[in-house]
Amino acid sequence: MNTIDQATNNRIQQWLTAEYDAETVGQVQKLVDNKEETELIDSFYKDLEFGTGGLRGIMGVGSNRMNKYTIGKATQGLANYLKKQFPEQQIKVAVSYDSRNNSQKFGHLVANVFSANGIQVYLFQELRPTPMLSFAVRHFGCQGGVMLTASHNPKEYNGYKAYWNDGGQLVAPHDENVITEVNAIQSVSEIKFDRIEANITLVGEEFDQYYIDANKKLSIHPDAVAAQKDLKIVFSSIHGTGITIVPKMLEAWGFTNIHLVEEQATPDGNFPTVIYPNPEEEEAMSMAKKKGEELDADVVMATDPDADRVGLAVKNHKGEIQLLNGNQIGSLLIYYVLSSKKENGSLKDNDFIVKTIVTSNLMSDIGNSFSVKYYETLTGFKFIGEVITRVEGQENYLVGGEESYGFLVGDLVRDKDAVNSCAFIAEMTAYFKNQGKSLFDVLLEIYETYGFYQEKLISLTKKGKAGADEIKQMMADLRANAPQSLGGIAVKEIRDYANSVSTVLAGNTQTAIDLPKSDVLQFITVDGDVISARPSGTEPKIKFYCSVKENLDNRGQYEDVAVKLEEKVKNIMADIVKN
């Protein structure tokens, strides 16, 4: 096996020792005997690291895979860090898991390790969504938490989202410090696997009501819900955790006409009806959309496996069910919350909204029009949660989101919340229907007021170590040979978040970017188009984002302007991906 470097080979040899159970050793030995070099390299070339979504990887044997030992090691490292950060305290953590294969088993494994370290564990008795884990951390006064999920990744993946005492995912310096603690564990013998039953409290179905009641208090227009209680809603959980709580939430808010996509209602880690369980994908929304068409639904929603992302389809101006993208959904929510609060006189001077750097500027435009402050963060909802926590007590978070279909209204949790979003999308639909408008009508009104924004995302999948190296080289090439024009439009400004510098090409003037370093490049054209390149923190992908804008003088121009913008995006993306 000539292509395997020494460090990788050392990891392989370690996993063949008696430290590991016989089944694990046997699986590693089989890979060695069969000379499966690519699989060995991908499984052992590094240790799993915390990215924008925590620990995430393919399930299997190896230091770069999700398994008993990598999860045990991560949990032991987190336990060690919690003990150092909260000395002389009884440490408490919450643990939940989604519908993925092995998620429940991994959840109990995590609970076992925490309990063996003398930590009090609140373990969900059955699968529940990520936002409920965040809510539980805050509800029980925990110092930390763990959610076992790989969100919307393909079925072979699982993941480990680690949370701090504010209910948000780990951010600097805690994420790096936990990794330091994890890397300090040199032997499996340092991991305490033996469960101490007395340290584990099971969280049952009764907890759902706390979460539902807290969310219901956030409702802005319960009168509109009462008037439109028979609003025709189609919902799919795409074989995930959403089925355990979204229908309950909608019913608690007063909606009575909820139709489930039954073929996708049973939790199943194999996700048998979709290629990817991701509501960002048109294919994953197809069954819900079809049911919406059959029923002439007012609103069609679907959540991903851990119910922190939501996809949406609504009736367009032609009466057809049309999918909306994450930028459109987020803009509608922000417009609804701000316009409603202005209408009822509850907007405050210290209110704010949040979006990420790759999310449409339409959201900030809406905020500005209502004189509401906005924050911009790096990609990953954990950074939005970090802002909410940092200014808590001085400023008041209203709503925020990211283009990847993650949103949150109110500050009950510190992560994106598709359950909360489903309730507000339904309420928003009811409110505007009361005025004789569909959500698509409102979207067109927004475009007429603020400009017609059109966005596109292209993701290139590059698997394994070779793929990771290729992505790294693509970003290096973009930095070394930055495009001077895209789609025939001159580039005005280049923002390099890895080097924390923004460069205006005319005059080569530079200013500092006041955000943590991140491997992101943005190109802003003279037309104001924003094109971003970013390696994913949760998947083996490099992502290219494009946002363009054109005036929409009246809705009758919608089709013509849409075609024009699509062509512009196509030309820009052809250049950036080629570069």
Side-chain angles (χ1 to χ4, degrees), residues 343-445:
E343 177 190 350
N344 65 23
S346 63
L347 271 184
K348 301 171 186 170
D349 291 341
N350 64 343
D351 287 339
F352 70 95
I353 62 173
V354 194
K355 76 177 199 68
T356 70
I357 58 173
V358 297
T359 301
S360 176
N361 287 331
L362 177 55
M363 296 187 190
S364 48
D365 289 351
I366 294 169
N368 286 334
S369 73
F370 287 95
S371 300
V372 171
K373 181 178 182 180
Y374 77 91
Y375 286 93
E376 202 167 57
T377 72
L378 295 176
T379 308
F381 212 93
K382 65 180 185 179
F383 297 113
I384 294 179
E386 181 185 29
V387 170
I388 299 171
T389 294
R390 187 174 74 240
V391 301
E392 189 173 18
Q394 285 81 46
E395 298 179 36
N396 181 50
Y397 170 81
L398 294 180
V399 56
E402 51 187 356
E403 56 76 38
S404 55
Y405 294 61
F407 319 102
L408 175 67
V409 182
D411 64 353
L412 292 176
V413 303
R414 292 292 183 274
D415 210 338
K416 51 187 176 284
D417 187 343
V419 187
N420 161 282
S421 299
C422 282
F424 271 99
I425 288 168
E427 179 180 287
M428 172 171 67
T429 306
Y431 173 74
F432 288 119
K433 188 175 182 182
N434 244 4
Q435 301 175 6
K437 301 175 185 176
S438 71
L439 286 189
F440 198 82
D441 290 329
V442 179
L443 184 63
L444 291 181
E445 288 180 6

Side-chain angles (χ1 to χ4, degrees), residues 235-485:
F235 172 70
S236 173
S237 57
I238 316 183
H239 305 289
T241 60
I243 196 65
T244 66
I245 194 72
V246 172
K248 286 184 186 177
M249 182 73 79
L250 293 171
E251 288 166 5
W253 280 46
F255 294 104
T256 60
N257 196 8
I258 304 160
H259 300 265
L260 303 179
V261 180
E262 296 292 350
E263 302 93 327
Q264 297 179 324
T266 301
D268 188 336
N270 292 315
F271 310 115
T273 65
V274 295
I275 298 172
Y276 299 110
N278 183 359
E280 293 180 74
E281 301 284 345
E282 185 174 350
E283 181 269 337
M285 292 286 296
S286 61
M287 293 185 82
K289 184 182 175 188
K290 182 182 177 184
K291 193 174 186 75
E293 290 167 344
E294 291 170 355
L295 296 172
D296 191 32
D298 294 292
V299 61
V300 176
M301 298 181 286
T303 53
D304 68 342
D306 66 322
D308 63 354
R309 298 169 190 249
V310 59
L312 173 63
V314 300
K315 274 192 255 186
N316 65 18
H317 57 307
K318 298 177 181 177
E320 303 163 338
I321 299 292
Q322 177 173 327
L323 295 174
L324 300 187
N325 65 38
N327 288 300
Q328 293 169 323
I329 302 167
S331 297
L332 281 166
L333 280 168
I334 287 173
Y335 180 77
Y336 169 67
V337 172
L338 299 192
S339 62
S340 295
K341 285 186 171 292
K342 181 177 182 180
E343 177 190 350
N344 65 23
S346 63
L347 271 184
K348 301 171 186 170
D349 291 341
N350 64 343
D351 287 339
F352 70 95
I353 62 173
V354 194
K355 76 177 199 68
T356 70
I357 58 173
V358 297
T359 301
S360 176
N361 287 331
L362 177 55
M363 296 187 190
S364 48
D365 289 351
I366 294 169
N368 286 334
S369 73
F370 287 95
S371 300
V372 171
K373 181 178 182 180
Y374 77 91
Y375 286 93
E376 202 167 57
T377 72
L378 295 176
T379 308
F381 212 93
K382 65 180 185 179
F383 297 113
I384 294 179
E386 181 185 29
V387 170
I388 299 171
T389 294
R390 187 174 74 240
V391 301
E392 189 173 18
Q394 285 81 46
E395 298 179 36
N396 181 50
Y397 170 81
L398 294 180
V399 56
E402 51 187 356
E403 56 76 38
S404 55
Y405 294 61
F407 319 102
L408 175 67
V409 182
D411 64 353
L412 292 176
V413 303
R414 292 292 183 274
D415 210 338
K416 51 187 176 284
D417 187 343
V419 187
N420 161 282
S421 299
C422 282
F424 271 99
I425 288 168
E427 179 180 287
M428 172 171 67
T429 306
Y431 173 74
F432 288 119
K433 188 175 182 182
N434 244 4
Q435 301 175 6
K437 301 175 185 176
S438 71
L439 286 189
F440 198 82
D441 290 329
V442 179
L443 184 63
L444 291 181
E445 288 180 6
I446 290 172
Y447 285 160
E448 286 180 278
T449 303
Y450 302 100
F452 187 166
Y453 279 84
Q454 184 128 308
E455 290 87 18
K456 185 175 179 64
L457 166 66
I458 292 179
S459 296
L460 303 181
T461 299
K462 307 285 183 180
K463 294 184 177 180
K465 183 180 185 300
D469 291 342
E470 187 177 350
I471 289 171
K472 188 175 180 180
Q473 188 59 50
M474 290 173 76
M475 292 299 292
D477 290 345
L478 271 174
R479 285 190 169 90
N481 303 289
Q484 301 300 295
S485 69

